[in-house]
Amino acid sequence: MKSGKWMAGWLLMGPVLLSAGCHKADEAPAKVIDYQGPTIETRNVLMLVSDSARLRVRLTAPLEQSFESGDRLYPEGVQLTFMDEEGKTVVNTITGKYGRYQRNQSLYSMRGDVRVTNVPKQQRMNSEEAFYDQNKASIYTKPETEIKVTTPTEVLTGRGLTANQDFSLYKILDPTGVFTVQECAPVAAPATPPTDTAP
């Protein structure tokens, strides 16, 4: 009798367990969302990079978006300012309307009205895209990127450029034109012969 009751109980529980198992198999597993956006947003950014207690580089941007990978975006523009050996005088600046920093390459990419300006030499490069490699302390563009370099005496145009960090030395990969700028001296008025007013 006891074994018969036990068997009947087991038969009654069996369908309940089977139905519960089938029910869970029909449910879809919860989807895991892999968030790829910024983890931190910072307004009015001022980042200072120093070496031996001397200011080397100053970064300013209206908005910085930081990602889990260590990469950063500057969707509203960015400016890098390079200082001299003493950390007191501005030597060079790079500005762009959009910027990106790739941590694994220590590389800044800038797009949109990019300007590189060597202040002491009064020379400037204009382009739509440029890169700054921190490891190599160099500035460059892609070979096909159109560039214009303006100095106090000439305007150079071409495609592709490589330069050192302070933009004191540069090379245009494919020059397409040179325009010499000459300052005009004031033109003196022509001398008029004296007129004789005596009768």
Side-chain angles (χ1 to χ4, degrees):
M1 288 293 268
K2 289 182 180 180
S3 62
K5 286 182 182 178
W6 182 80
M7 285 293 286
W10 174 252
L11 290 174
L12 288 174
M13 286 192 65
V16 174
L17 290 173
L18 288 175
S19 67
C22 291
H23 181 66
K24 286 187 178 180
D26 292 342
E27 288 181 10
K31 291 184 180 178
V32 176
I33 298 172
D34 186 18
Y35 178 69
Q36 299 291 327
T39 53
I40 300 172
E41 284 193 348
T42 309
R43 285 273 176 197
N44 301 318
V45 175
L46 171 62
M47 182 176 72
L48 305 174
V49 179
S50 62
D51 182 22
S52 303
R54 291 181 180 158
L55 180 62
R56 292 288 181 240
V57 182
R58 181 174 64 225
L59 180 147
T60 55
L63 174 64
E64 178 184 85
Q65 296 176 329
S66 301
F67 293 78
E68 193 172 320
S69 63
D71 292 358
R72 299 188 299 265
L73 286 183
Y74 303 96
E76 297 178 9
V78 62
Q79 176 171 316
L80 291 170
T81 303
F82 301 94
M83 310 303 287
D84 67 356
E85 290 295 321
E86 299 299 317
K88 296 178 181 177
T89 306
V90 173
V91 175
N92 187 27
T93 62
I94 307 174
T95 61
K97 291 186 176 178
Y98 171 88
R100 179 181 178 195
Y101 173 72
Q102 294 169 271
R103 181 183 172 201
N104 62 346
Q105 298 178 36
S106 295
L107 182 69
Y108 284 91
S109 320
M110 297 186 189
R111 293 198 313 253
D113 192 22
V114 177
R115 299 177 188 193
V116 180
T117 306
N118 179 297
V119 177
K121 289 196 168 190
Q122 298 179 1
Q123 58 192 30
R124 182 179 71 247
M125 188 272 286
N126 294 78
S127 177
E128 279 304 306
E129 184 180 49
F131 303 89
Y132 166 58
D133 188 325
Q134 280 186 308
N135 294 332
K136 296 179 181 177
S138 66
I139 298 166
Y140 65 93
T141 70
K142 291 179 181 176
E144 65 275 10
T145 303
E146 293 187 5
I147 57 98
K148 180 172 82 170
V149 176
T150 306
T151 73
T153 57
E154 58 191 1
V155 178
L156 310 168
T157 59
R159 283 183 289 274
L161 176 135
T162 59
N164 59 351
Q165 178 173 296
D166 64 8
F167 197 60
S168 59
L169 300 172
Y170 60 88
K171 176 182 177 184
I172 298 173
L173 305 181
D174 182 17
T176 57
V178 177
F179 308 95
T180 303
V181 178
Q182 295 179 349
E183 291 187 21
C184 297
V187 179
T192 54
T195 55
D196 192 354
T197 55

